Structures are given as C-alpha cells and as structure tokens.
Amino acid sequence: MTLQERLSPGKYALRVADYAMLGEAGVFGDRRTELIEGDVIVMAPEFRPHAYVRDELAYRLRRGLEEAGSPLY
C-alpha cells in the first residue's frame, strides 16, 4: 500500500522528528524552511543588508559582554 493510499486528502501537522527526517532526506533542497506549529514554512532567501546588520549586532553584543566581564559571551 502506498502512502497516497493510506492518507486521505487533508492537512497534516508535522512533528519535529518528521520535519528533521524530511530535511535529512533532502526533500527541501537548498530552500530555507521553518517548522511552525506543525506547518512547513518556506522562507525567502536572506536579504544581504539584513545579514550584515544581524552579524554586526551579534559582534557588538559579544564585545560588550566581554568588556563587561560577563561569562555569557
């Protein structure tokens, strides 16, 4: 019996383990995806200026924690 024969049409919520198995099998290819409340969301490619700001913010936060003597960095 095939998967199509076992499942009736409809919407199915995925578990984290299901999502991880699909990712390992290469089902999503090179697309960025997230699992939110059982739904697979295909994300847009990262916007270059956004990546720059994110990395700069992380760098400055890390430096600030180091200078403050925090063990969190």
Side-chain angles (χ1 to χ4, degrees), residues 32 43-55:
R32 296 176 57 227
M43 307 299 293
E46 188 170 50
F47 189 53
R48 195 170 193 84
H50 176 261
Y52 171 78
V53 170
R54 181 204 60 220
D55 292 344

Side-chain angles (χ1 to χ4, degrees), residues 2-23:
T2 67
L3 183 60
Q4 288 84 1
E5 292 170 337
R6 289 188 299 196
L7 296 175
S8 59
K11 181 177 177 181
Y12 296 90
L14 293 178
R15 297 173 301 155
V16 173
D18 300 329
Y19 175 72
M21 183 175 58
L22 291 170

